[in-house]
Short mmCIF file of all heavy atoms in Angstrom, two decimals:
data_model
loop_
_atom_site.label_atom_id
_atom_site.label_comp_id
_atom_site.label_asym_id
_atom_site.label_seq_id
_atom_site.Cartn_x
_atom_site.Cartn_y
_atom_site.Cartn_z
N PRO A 654 -2.98 8.26 -19.51
CA PRO A 654 -2.40 8.13 -20.87
C PRO A 654 -1.17 7.22 -20.78
O PRO A 654 -0.28 7.36 -19.91
CB PRO A 654 -2.12 9.47 -21.24
CG PRO A 654 -2.90 10.34 -20.39
CD PRO A 654 -3.07 9.52 -19.03
N LEU A 656 2.23 6.41 -22.78
CA LEU A 656 3.07 7.14 -23.80
C LEU A 656 3.96 6.05 -24.39
O LEU A 656 4.48 5.08 -23.63
CB LEU A 656 3.93 8.16 -23.05
CG LEU A 656 3.08 9.24 -22.31
CD1 LEU A 656 4.08 10.18 -21.52
CD2 LEU A 656 2.27 9.98 -23.24
N GLN A 704 3.01 2.83 -12.76
CA GLN A 704 3.84 3.55 -13.74
C GLN A 704 5.23 2.72 -13.83
O GLN A 704 5.78 2.59 -14.93
CB GLN A 704 4.13 5.00 -13.31
CG GLN A 704 4.95 5.81 -14.25
CD GLN A 704 5.21 7.08 -13.70
OE1 GLN A 704 5.35 7.42 -12.58
NE2 GLN A 704 5.34 8.12 -14.76
N ASP A 713 5.42 4.48 -20.82
CA ASP A 713 5.32 5.27 -19.66
C ASP A 713 3.92 5.72 -19.42
O ASP A 713 3.10 5.70 -20.35
CB ASP A 713 6.10 6.49 -19.89
CG ASP A 713 6.43 7.23 -18.57
OD1 ASP A 713 6.11 6.75 -17.44
OD2 ASP A 713 7.02 8.34 -18.67
N LEU A 714 3.51 5.89 -18.23
CA LEU A 714 2.20 6.38 -17.80
C LEU A 714 2.25 7.81 -17.29
O LEU A 714 3.26 8.26 -16.72
CB LEU A 714 1.61 5.64 -16.55
CG LEU A 714 1.10 4.15 -16.87
CD1 LEU A 714 0.40 3.66 -15.49
CD2 LEU A 714 -0.02 4.18 -17.85
N LEU A 715 1.40 8.61 -17.76
CA LEU A 715 1.32 10.08 -17.31
C LEU A 715 0.34 10.13 -16.13
O LEU A 715 -0.90 9.97 -16.38
CB LEU A 715 0.83 10.89 -18.45
CG LEU A 715 0.81 12.41 -18.32
CD1 LEU A 715 2.29 12.86 -18.07
CD2 LEU A 715 0.33 13.07 -19.58
N ILE A 716 0.87 10.18 -14.94
CA ILE A 716 0.06 10.20 -13.78
C ILE A 716 0.06 11.57 -13.14
O ILE A 716 0.75 11.84 -12.09
CB ILE A 716 0.53 9.09 -12.71
CG1 ILE A 716 2.03 9.23 -12.48
CG2 ILE A 716 0.23 7.80 -13.26
CD1 ILE A 716 2.47 8.34 -11.30
N GLU A 717 -0.72 12.45 -13.67
CA GLU A 717 -0.90 13.80 -13.11
C GLU A 717 -2.44 13.94 -13.01
O GLU A 717 -3.34 13.15 -13.56
CB GLU A 717 -0.39 14.88 -14.00
CG GLU A 717 1.11 14.70 -14.12
CD GLU A 717 1.64 15.80 -15.07
OE1 GLU A 717 0.81 16.52 -15.69
OE2 GLU A 717 2.90 15.98 -15.22
N ASP A 718 -2.94 15.06 -12.26
CA ASP A 718 -4.34 15.28 -12.17
C ASP A 718 -4.84 15.73 -13.67
O ASP A 718 -4.01 16.10 -14.54
CB ASP A 718 -4.66 16.40 -11.12
CG ASP A 718 -3.95 17.78 -11.56
OD1 ASP A 718 -3.24 17.86 -12.59
OD2 ASP A 718 -4.25 18.75 -10.75
N GLU A 719 -6.12 15.63 -13.85
CA GLU A 719 -6.71 15.69 -15.14
C GLU A 719 -6.36 16.95 -15.80
O GLU A 719 -6.22 17.02 -17.01
CB GLU A 719 -8.18 15.43 -15.09
CG GLU A 719 -8.53 13.92 -15.18
CD GLU A 719 -10.02 13.66 -15.33
OE1 GLU A 719 -10.59 14.23 -16.28
OE2 GLU A 719 -10.52 12.97 -14.60
N THR A 720 -6.42 18.13 -15.14
CA THR A 720 -6.20 19.37 -15.75
C THR A 720 -4.76 19.53 -16.33
O THR A 720 -4.56 19.87 -17.44
CB THR A 720 -6.52 20.56 -14.87
OG1 THR A 720 -5.78 20.39 -13.63
CG2 THR A 720 -8.01 20.58 -14.47
N ARG A 721 -3.80 19.21 -15.47
CA ARG A 721 -2.43 19.19 -15.90
C ARG A 721 -2.15 18.08 -16.89
O ARG A 721 -1.20 18.21 -17.83
CB ARG A 721 -1.60 19.10 -14.68
CG ARG A 721 -1.64 20.35 -13.75
CD ARG A 721 -0.43 20.37 -12.84
NE ARG A 721 0.76 20.50 -13.39
CZ ARG A 721 1.84 19.85 -12.98
NH1 ARG A 721 1.85 19.12 -11.94
NH2 ARG A 721 2.95 19.91 -13.63
N GLN A 722 -2.82 16.89 -16.71
CA GLN A 722 -2.60 15.76 -17.65
C GLN A 722 -2.86 16.14 -19.12
O GLN A 722 -2.03 15.83 -20.01
CB GLN A 722 -3.50 14.69 -17.14
CG GLN A 722 -3.15 13.31 -17.81
CD GLN A 722 -4.05 12.21 -17.26
OE1 GLN A 722 -5.29 12.33 -17.47
NE2 GLN A 722 -3.53 11.32 -16.59
N HIS A 723 -3.97 16.86 -19.30
CA HIS A 723 -4.35 17.24 -20.65
C HIS A 723 -3.31 18.23 -21.30
O HIS A 723 -2.81 18.01 -22.38
CB HIS A 723 -5.67 17.86 -20.78
CG HIS A 723 -6.10 18.11 -22.12
ND1 HIS A 723 -6.49 17.21 -23.05
CD2 HIS A 723 -6.39 19.46 -22.66
CE1 HIS A 723 -6.88 17.79 -24.14
NE2 HIS A 723 -6.84 19.05 -23.99
N GLU A 724 -2.87 19.15 -20.43
CA GLU A 724 -1.86 20.13 -21.01
C GLU A 724 -0.58 19.45 -21.19
O GLU A 724 0.13 19.61 -22.28
CB GLU A 724 -1.69 21.26 -19.91
CG GLU A 724 -2.86 22.10 -19.63
CD GLU A 724 -2.78 22.93 -18.39
OE1 GLU A 724 -1.72 22.98 -17.77
OE2 GLU A 724 -3.72 23.64 -18.14
N THR A 725 -0.14 18.58 -20.31
CA THR A 725 1.18 17.83 -20.48
C THR A 725 1.07 16.93 -21.69
O THR A 725 2.11 16.89 -22.47
CB THR A 725 1.53 17.11 -19.24
OG1 THR A 725 1.53 17.90 -18.08
CG2 THR A 725 2.78 16.43 -19.45
N LEU A 726 -0.01 16.30 -21.97
CA LEU A 726 -0.19 15.41 -23.08
C LEU A 726 -0.16 16.19 -24.37
O LEU A 726 0.53 15.76 -25.40
CB LEU A 726 -1.51 14.64 -22.96
CG LEU A 726 -1.65 13.36 -23.84
CD1 LEU A 726 -0.52 12.42 -23.63
CD2 LEU A 726 -2.99 12.75 -23.55
N GLU A 727 -0.77 17.35 -24.43
CA GLU A 727 -0.72 18.32 -25.57
C GLU A 727 0.73 18.62 -25.89
O GLU A 727 1.13 18.65 -27.01
CB GLU A 727 -1.57 19.43 -25.42
CG GLU A 727 -3.04 19.15 -25.48
CD GLU A 727 -3.58 18.65 -26.79
OE1 GLU A 727 -3.05 19.11 -27.77
OE2 GLU A 727 -4.43 17.79 -26.84
N ALA A 728 1.51 19.03 -24.77
CA ALA A 728 2.90 19.42 -25.00
C ALA A 728 3.72 18.29 -25.58
O ALA A 728 4.54 18.55 -26.51
CB ALA A 728 3.45 19.94 -23.74
N ILE A 729 3.53 17.11 -25.11
CA ILE A 729 4.32 15.95 -25.55
C ILE A 729 3.93 15.68 -27.08
O ILE A 729 4.84 15.45 -27.89
CB ILE A 729 3.98 14.72 -24.70
CG1 ILE A 729 4.62 14.91 -23.30
CG2 ILE A 729 4.49 13.42 -25.34
CD1 ILE A 729 4.22 13.86 -22.34
N HIS A 730 2.68 15.81 -27.40
CA HIS A 730 2.31 15.56 -28.78
C HIS A 730 2.83 16.73 -29.62
O HIS A 730 3.34 16.36 -30.87
CB HIS A 730 0.74 15.47 -28.93
CG HIS A 730 0.12 14.26 -28.42
ND1 HIS A 730 0.54 12.99 -28.83
CD2 HIS A 730 -0.85 14.02 -27.59
CE1 HIS A 730 -0.11 12.09 -28.18
NE2 HIS A 730 -1.04 12.61 -27.41
N ALA A 731 2.88 17.88 -29.24
CA ALA A 731 3.49 19.00 -30.02
C ALA A 731 4.97 18.76 -30.21
O ALA A 731 5.52 18.95 -31.22
CB ALA A 731 3.28 20.25 -29.34
N GLN A 732 5.61 18.30 -29.19
CA GLN A 732 7.06 18.05 -29.34
C GLN A 732 7.36 16.91 -30.29
O GLN A 732 8.27 17.09 -31.13
CB GLN A 732 7.69 17.76 -27.97
CG GLN A 732 9.12 17.49 -27.81
CD GLN A 732 9.60 17.22 -26.49
OE1 GLN A 732 8.87 16.85 -25.59
NE2 GLN A 732 10.92 17.14 -26.30
N ASN A 733 6.49 15.83 -30.16
CA ASN A 733 6.76 14.80 -31.13
C ASN A 733 6.44 15.14 -32.57
O ASN A 733 7.14 14.76 -33.51
CB ASN A 733 5.92 13.57 -30.71
CG ASN A 733 6.36 12.86 -29.46
OD1 ASN A 733 7.47 13.01 -29.01
ND2 ASN A 733 5.49 12.07 -28.89
N PHE A 734 5.48 16.03 -32.74
CA PHE A 734 5.11 16.51 -34.16
C PHE A 734 6.29 17.43 -34.62
O PHE A 734 6.63 17.33 -35.84
CB PHE A 734 3.81 17.32 -34.12
CG PHE A 734 3.43 17.82 -35.38
CD1 PHE A 734 2.95 16.97 -36.47
CD2 PHE A 734 3.50 19.21 -35.70
CE1 PHE A 734 2.61 17.51 -37.70
CE2 PHE A 734 3.24 19.69 -36.91
CZ PHE A 734 2.77 18.85 -37.87
#
Side-chain angles (χ1 to χ4, degrees):
L656 305 174
Q704 182 184 34
D713 197 7
L714 283 183
L715 187 60
I716 53 171
E717 296 180 354
D718 62 358
E719 276 190 49
T720 56
R721 293 194 60 220
Q722 190 178 65
H723 184 68
E724 293 169 4
T725 306
L726 194 57
E727 289 293 325
I729 290 170
H730 286 309
Q732 183 181 12
N733 288 342
F734 180 71

